[in-house]
């Protein structure tokens, strides 16, 4: 069974704190890595799609890095704001299995004002 | 609005029954994915279609089946429903490459 692991499971920070999450995956199965943001009562929305080892992507205060050789990706949020409160999901597109996109369990972020 | 439409939004039915969930992908997207989110579970991959053909399969139960039609909309059929099938079922679409998924709002199924 292929596992995409995310840590921590949940995180509570104060407004202004910077934070980061980890997504781990079997490097041999890598084809692409997605990050999504999922707010309560809404649908997941894509943040980044990363395909190359060493990729770094940035969108505003949120950035992500990718290491395919060791099988991990980091998501960083600089200066967290209450509106960043959401569950952050990573998903692995598995090599040689069509479009099989497997999601991790997510990291639930709560930012207090 | 992601452009992905799912119907119905909510559905309540009884054990043993059969339901059909419908998904219209974003305009231009050829690929449709189905995911199940049960209580305290993450998004579980069920199945993916690309341009009418099944492309990838996850842990989809034999009681469940899906198809993608020539107009690219997709249906997920759930039969002999059990209490444990109660979940939020998401459809998502993309152009079929490695690109991001666009999710519908989900269909919440309650089996009583």
């Amino acid at each position: 069974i292929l596992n995409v692991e995310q840590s921590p499971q949940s995180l509570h920070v104060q407004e202004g704190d910077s934070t980061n999450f980890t997504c781990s995956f079997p490097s041999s199965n890598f084809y692409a890595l997605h990050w999504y943001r999922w707010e309560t009562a809404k649908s997941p929305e894509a943040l980044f799609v990363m395909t190359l080892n060493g990729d770094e992507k940035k969108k505003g205060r949120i950035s992500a890095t990718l290491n395919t050789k060791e099988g991990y990706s980091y998501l960083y949020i600089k200066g967290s704001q209450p509106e960043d409160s959401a569950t952050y999901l990573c998903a692995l597109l598995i090599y040689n299995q069509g479009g099989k996109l497997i999601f991790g369990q997510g990291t639930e972020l709560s930012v207090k004002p | 609005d992601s452009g992905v439409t799912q119907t119905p939004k909510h559905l309540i039915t009884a054990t043993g029954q059969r339901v059909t969930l419908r998904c219209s992908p974003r305009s231009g997207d050829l690929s449709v994915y189905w995911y199940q989110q049960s209580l305290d579970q993450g998004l579980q991959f069920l199945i993916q279609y690309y341009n009418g053909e099944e492309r990838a399969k996850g842990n989809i139960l034999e009681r469940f089946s899906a198809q993608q039609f020539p107009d690219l909309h997709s249906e997920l059929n759930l039969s002999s429903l059990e209490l444990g099938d109660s979940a939020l079922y998401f459809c998502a679409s993309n152009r079929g490459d490695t690109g991001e998924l666009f999710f519908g709002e989900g269909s919440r199924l309650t089996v009583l």
Side-chain angles (χ1 to χ4, degrees):
Chain A
I1 297 176
L2 188 145
N3 274 332
V4 177
E5 304 282 348
Q6 289 191 247
S7 62
Q9 193 172 344
S10 65
L11 200 51
H12 300 268
V13 302
Q14 290 293 130
E15 182 176 354
D17 288 349
S18 293
T19 186
N20 65 85
F21 325 132
T22 304
C23 173
S24 302
F25 52 87
S27 56
S28 59
N29 297 108
F30 175 85
Y31 195 50
L33 195 286
H34 294 204
W35 280 100
Y36 291 82
R37 182 171 179 273
W38 192 1
E39 289 183 73
T40 303
K42 294 188 177 181
S43 303
E45 291 185 353
L47 288 170
F48 306 113
V49 175
M50 309 172 83
T51 57
L52 297 175
N53 185 42
D55 251 357
E56 290 188 26
K57 301 256 178 156
K58 189 174 180 183
K59 187 182 287 189
R61 294 178 292 98
I62 304 178
S63 60
T65 61
L66 176 67
N67 183 323
T68 61
K69 294 188 188 310
E70 296 183 34
Y72 65 83
S73 176
Y74 293 140
L75 187 80
Y76 301 91
I77 302 180
K78 185 177 176 183
S80 302
Q81 299 296 309
E83 57 265 30
D84 295 328
S85 297
T87 296
Y88 291 83
L89 300 167
C90 71
L92 177 69
L93 186 64
I94 300 176
Y95 177 74
N96 215 26
Q97 289 196 35
K100 201 167 188 176
L101 186 68
I102 303 298
F103 280 83
Q105 293 285 91
T107 293
E108 188 179 354
L109 175 67
S110 174
V111 183
K112 291 188 176 179
Chain B
D1 182 5
S2 68
V4 178
T5 304
Q6 286 188 250
T7 57
K9 284 188 169 42
H10 301 277
L11 190 54
I12 301 173
T13 189
T15 54
Q17 295 298 304
R18 182 179 188 274
V19 298
T20 297
L21 309 181
R22 195 179 191 276
C23 171
S24 293
R26 223 169 45 123
S27 177
D29 285 355
L30 298 177
S31 188
V32 169
Y33 290 72
W34 286 99
Y35 286 89
Q36 178 193 55
Q37 193 217 1
S38 304
L39 195 64
D40 294 334
Q41 296 282 320
L43 289 169
Q44 301 298 312
F45 174 77
L46 294 178
I47 199 162
Q48 182 226 0
Y49 282 85
Y50 176 79
N51 204 20
E53 301 285 328
E54 179 186 309
R55 201 177 194 195
K57 207 167 186 176
N59 297 326
I60 187 167
L61 298 172
E62 284 191 15
R63 298 184 287 107
F64 295 2
S65 64
Q67 55 184 324
Q68 186 180 28
F69 295 87
D71 67 352
L72 300 177
H73 92 271
S74 178
E75 292 181 357
L76 179 66
N77 301 296
L78 315 174
S79 61
S80 302
L81 285 168
E82 301 175 359
L83 296 177
D85 297 327
S86 296
L88 188 56
Y89 291 85
F90 280 107
C91 167
S93 72
N94 72 359
R95 304 215 183 275
D97 50 14
T98 57
E100 64 187 273
L101 296 190
F102 293 85
F103 281 82
E105 294 183 343
S107 292
R108 182 167 295 283
L109 172 67
T110 302
V111 182
L112 300 175

